[in-house]
Amino acid sequence: MTVGSEEELERLKAVGRLVARTLQAMGQALEPGITTRELDELGRRMLEDAGARSAPELSYNFPGATCISVAPDVAHGIPGERRVQAGDLINIDVSAELDGVFADTGASFAVPPVTPKVERLCRDGRRALWSGIRQVRAGAELAAIGKSIEAFATKNGYTLVRNLASHGVGSSLHEEPTEIATWHDRSERRKIHDGLVFTIEPFLSLGADWVDEADDGWTLFPPGGEPTVQYEHTLVATPRGAVVVTLPD
């Protein structure tokens, strides 16, 4: 999607705030004993009460309103009867359609008590995301995003999952530009144009650089079970930088 009017931008901001507030509420509800299905039902209620539709259900017939992945799973986890336990590392991904516009956000949450290493991983996952966001402006190279994120990861002793990428969003959940690397892709030649809507979502890991698909056809996990986090925002490129629309306020 390319934002072409103030009205389009306001619609994008509206759905962005909604998915951000939903993600925030689900994260706050995380506690030992709650099931991932109960978390998903909370997310569904918030989306539907606002008149929105779950994007993964709408787009792919996903078996849940949101994606909830309990480590070692890192993405596309199906909500179910699994109960959250102390020490779990959990990724929640919320995306929705409202008034014909889509937004996508996600975050990883560590349920206390957790090790200092996992606390640091979560903190640095957020830092990696923002290192990419700071590279965004109209006219810049798309490759600058992944180059910056990889430099951060390498400096701090992390790896990046390289078969999960960022993507265009707005008119649909996944659209052009597709396969936006969150690592340094030397073959990337595309530029960011004014008004372009896309996500940035690095998967920062303590050793993994690849994920496999589970037998359920959805859930993704690193073969070695390495702790991995994902943080994601939807943003709009402008000549002065990125406008992040998936903030709760």
Side-chain angles (χ1 to χ4, degrees), residues 20-105:
R21 289 171 179 170
T22 302
L23 176 66
Q24 182 182 61
M26 293 174 71
Q28 291 170 347
L30 270 174
E31 62 180 9
I34 192 171
T35 68
T36 56
R37 188 183 306 281
E38 289 169 334
L39 274 177
D40 185 62
E41 289 169 352
L42 168 63
R44 180 185 298 281
R45 285 195 302 272
M46 290 188 67
L47 296 178
E48 292 182 349
D49 286 351
R53 295 183 290 177
S54 158
E57 278 189 339
L58 179 64
S59 303
Y60 300 110
N61 198 30
F62 180 75
T66 65
C67 300
I68 305 174
S69 309
V70 182
D73 302 336
V74 300
H76 303 170
I78 300 172
E81 302 311 314
R82 180 168 182 171
R83 294 191 180 276
V84 172
Q85 297 182 20
D88 277 345
L89 179 60
I90 298 175
N91 180 267
I92 302 174
D93 195 297
V94 182
S95 55
E97 177 273 332
L98 179 66
D99 295 331
V101 181
F102 291 74
D104 190 1
T105 190

Side-chain angles (χ1 to χ4, degrees), residues 3 9 65 83 103 129 171 221 241 243:
V3 170
L9 180 59
R83 294 191 180 276
L129 168 61
S171 301
F221 64 96
V243 175

Side-chain angles (χ1 to χ4, degrees), residues 215-234:
D215 292 340
D216 62 20
W218 293 104
T219 307
L220 301 174
F221 64 96
E226 298 91 343
T228 303
V229 296
Q230 176 250 27
Y231 294 88
E232 175 183 17
H233 276 309
T234 294

Side-chain angles (χ1 to χ4, degrees), residues 176-231:
E176 293 292 335
T178 60
E179 301 298 323
I180 302 170
T182 57
W183 57 92
H184 189 191
D185 179 1
R186 290 168 175 77
S187 68
E188 177 63 81
R189 296 291 182 268
R190 295 173 293 181
K191 289 193 173 184
I192 302 169
H193 61 258
D194 191 15
L196 182 64
V197 184
F198 61 101
T199 71
I200 298 179
E201 50 176 313
F203 285 78
L204 195 72
S205 181
L206 291 171
D209 60 6
W210 193 265
V211 291
D212 288 337
E213 186 176 275
D215 292 340
D216 62 20
W218 293 104
T219 307
L220 301 174
F221 64 96
E226 298 91 343
T228 303
V229 296
Q230 176 250 27
Y231 294 88

